[in-house]
Amino acid sequence: MTAGGALPGPDGRPRCPWGLSTEDYLRYHDEEWGRPVHGDDELFERLCLEAFQSGLSWLTILRRREGFRRAFAGFAIAEVAAFTDADRERLLADEGIIRNRAKVDATLGNARVLAGWAPGELDRLIWSHAPDPVGRPAPVTLADVPAVTDESKALAKALKKEGLRFVGPTTAYALMQACGLVDDHLADCLARG
């Protein structure tokens, strides 16, 4: 095992070090992070959660994920787009989510924008920014994993051009990692594709 690379988990198998700090992270790392996600509502959920994570730890969001799902109608774009001012006030009082006014407003506004799109359009737009994996070396240590790439900058620009908010290049790259557009599991991690 390379110094600074994957570390043995509770079962002795190598994993990305970040995935070993809590049981929540272990499960997320092993079962979800980096696996391909498709579907407009599914990608809308991930985009929203990454935006809510901005400035916070992912563990905070992960542990409130079910609260977010309940509060935002399972992230069904059409339903969230129809939320009223009363729903907004309900969200801002909901202790099961992050009650950040700008992030709540961005989620509602983004849903309204996306509700006008053709089915599959969000999926197509996001996945059109997946980099070619050929020639992209597997990261050996966490220091090899970027926070922003040219592709995430282009994705953020495309989303912003369409009127979406809270979709900067760092958020876009976190989305790309979480949804399998890139495989940033370390080279010797058991979850590497």
Side-chain angles (χ1 to χ4, degrees):
M1 190 169 353
T2 305
L7 298 174
D11 58 3
R13 296 167 65 202
R15 290 176 174 84
C16 300
W18 67 264
L20 299 173
S21 61
T22 71
E23 183 62 35
D24 295 312
Y25 272 157
L26 182 67
R27 195 170 37 258
Y28 179 68
H29 171 274
D30 286 3
E31 299 172 9
E32 187 173 352
W33 192 75
R35 300 220 188 320
V37 174
H38 285 281
D40 292 344
D41 290 344
E42 293 81 358
L43 289 165
F44 176 61
E45 174 185 358
R46 301 319 192 291
L47 187 62
C48 293
L49 294 177
E50 294 296 347
F52 272 100
Q53 185 271 331
S54 181
L56 303 170
S57 97
W58 179 246
L59 189 58
T60 300
I61 303 305
L62 196 56
R63 289 184 171 162
R64 293 179 185 215
R65 191 173 191 180
E66 290 309 314
F68 276 107
R69 286 176 171 164
R70 280 189 300 277
F72 287 100
F75 291 98
I77 293 169
E79 289 185 48
V80 178
F83 278 15
T84 64
D85 287 344
D87 289 309
R88 178 180 179 271
E89 294 309 311
R90 170 186 56 81
L91 293 167
L92 293 172
D94 189 335
E95 294 181 6
I97 66 170
I98 305 302
R99 297 173 292 171
N100 178 295
R101 185 174 308 276
K103 293 175 183 181
V104 167
D105 288 345
T107 300
L108 299 179
N110 290 348
R112 290 179 185 121
V113 168
L114 295 172
W117 290 20
E121 195 171 342
L122 178 61
D123 190 298
R124 280 189 296 281
L125 175 70
I126 288 174
W127 277 91
S128 72
H129 289 83
D132 185 350
V134 176
R136 189 173 192 270
V140 176
T141 70
L142 293 179
D144 299 330
V145 178
V148 173
T149 63
D150 289 342
E151 294 86 2
S152 76
K153 290 176 188 174
L155 175 56
K157 184 176 180 180
L159 292 168
K160 287 178 182 179
K161 182 179 177 188
E162 295 295 335
L164 276 70
R165 296 179 293 165
F166 262 92
V167 290
T170 303
T171 296
Y173 194 67
L175 174 77
M176 294 170 82
Q177 291 173 304
C179 295
L181 281 76
V182 296
D183 184 355
D184 275 345
H185 285 285
L186 298 183
D188 49 357
C189 174
L190 68 86
R192 178 104 188 139

